[in-house]
Amino acid sequence: MIKLPYKKIPNEQLCTVLLWVLAIVYFYFISIHSAKPAEVSTNESKELAKKTFAVVQKTVEAVSKDKGAEVSYILIFVFVRKLAHLINFFILSFLYSMTAYRTGNDLIKVFTAAMVCGLFGSIIDEGHQFFVPGRSSEIKDVIIDFLGVCIGCITFLSVFLLLNKRMLRKE
C-alpha cells in the first residue's frame, strides 16, 4: 500500500463535502451540455470552431511556404468537439482525485476511485446521449473521455507531489 502524504486541514469534513458537491455539480454541468439536442450543440461548437479555424488558418499561412495552404474547417470542427470531451473529463477526474484524496490517502485507492468514477461518468454521459434527439452514443467518445480522466489523474498526482515536495523542503 502506497500512502500519499496527508496533512490535516481545518474543517476537513466540510472541505471533503464541498469537493464532493463540486464534483457532482461539474458532472451535472457536463450532463446538461450532453442533453442539448444535436442542432443546439452543433451551433455552439460551430462558433468556437470558426474562431479556432481563423487563428489556425492565419498561423498556417504565416508559417507555410506554400501561400495557398489551407486548413480543413471540418477537421477543426471535429477537433474542437472532441477536445471538449477530453477537457471536461480531465477537470472532472481532477476533482474526483482531490475528493478521493481527502477521503483517504492510499494512492491505489485514490486512483482507482477517480478512474472508476470517471469511467462510469463517461459511460453514463454517452448512454444518456442515446436518448437525446439527433445525438448518438459513441465508444470513441467514451475512450476520449477516459483519456481525459487518465490525464486528470496523472496531473493531480504530479501537482500534488510537486507541491508536497516544496512544502517538505520549507519545513
Side-chain angles (χ1 to χ4, degrees):
M1 176 164 50
I2 303 168
K3 291 280 189 182
L4 290 171
Y6 190 81
K7 191 172 184 178
K8 290 266 187 200
I9 59 171
N11 300 320
E12 189 158 342
Q13 286 181 327
L14 178 62
C15 180
T16 303
V17 169
L18 289 176
L19 282 170
W20 273 115
V21 168
L22 188 58
I24 291 167
V25 167
Y26 195 77
F27 183 72
Y28 181 70
F29 165 80
I30 292 171
S31 298
I32 286 173
H33 282 281
S34 294
K36 292 180 180 179
E39 186 177 324
V40 174
S41 177
T42 300
N43 288 337
E44 286 177 356
S45 297
K46 279 182 183 177
E47 290 304 310
L48 184 57
K50 284 178 190 175
K51 293 173 185 173
T52 305
F53 177 75
V55 170
V56 171
Q57 184 66 37
K58 286 178 186 175
T59 304
V60 167
E61 288 171 359
V63 173
S64 177
K65 293 179 182 178
D66 178 14
K67 294 302 174 193
E70 289 187 22
V71 177
S72 166
Y73 172 76
I74 299 296
L75 183 65
I76 297 294
F77 177 75
V78 170
F79 177 76
V80 163
R81 289 186 67 91
K82 299 309 173 190
L83 187 61
H85 280 269
L86 190 122
I87 290 171
N88 277 324
F89 280 87
F90 166 85
I91 293 168
L92 186 64
S93 74
F94 197 89
L95 290 170
Y96 284 155
S97 295
M98 286 179 12
T99 304
Y101 170 70
R102 293 306 324 161
T103 304
N105 62 341
D106 179 350
L107 180 65
I108 303 300
K109 288 180 183 174
V110 167
F111 278 99
T112 301
M115 295 285 236
V116 168
C117 285
L119 180 60
F120 280 137
S122 175
I123 291 168
I124 289 167
D125 181 54
E126 283 303 311
H128 150 254
Q129 285 183 30
F130 180 78
F131 301 101
V132 177
R135 303 287 295 263
S136 64
S137 296
E138 298 185 24
I139 295 293
K140 68 181 173 186
D141 286 344
V142 172
I143 293 168
I144 292 168
D145 294 345
F146 191 64
L147 179 61
V149 168
C150 294
I151 294 169
C153 288
I154 291 167
T155 302
F156 170 78
L157 178 64
S158 301
V159 168
F160 176 82
L161 292 176
L162 245 167
L163 292 175
N164 199 42
K165 192 175 185 180
R166 285 187 180 173
M167 282 190 253
L168 287 174
R169 279 190 201 155
K170 289 180 182 179
E171 291 176 358

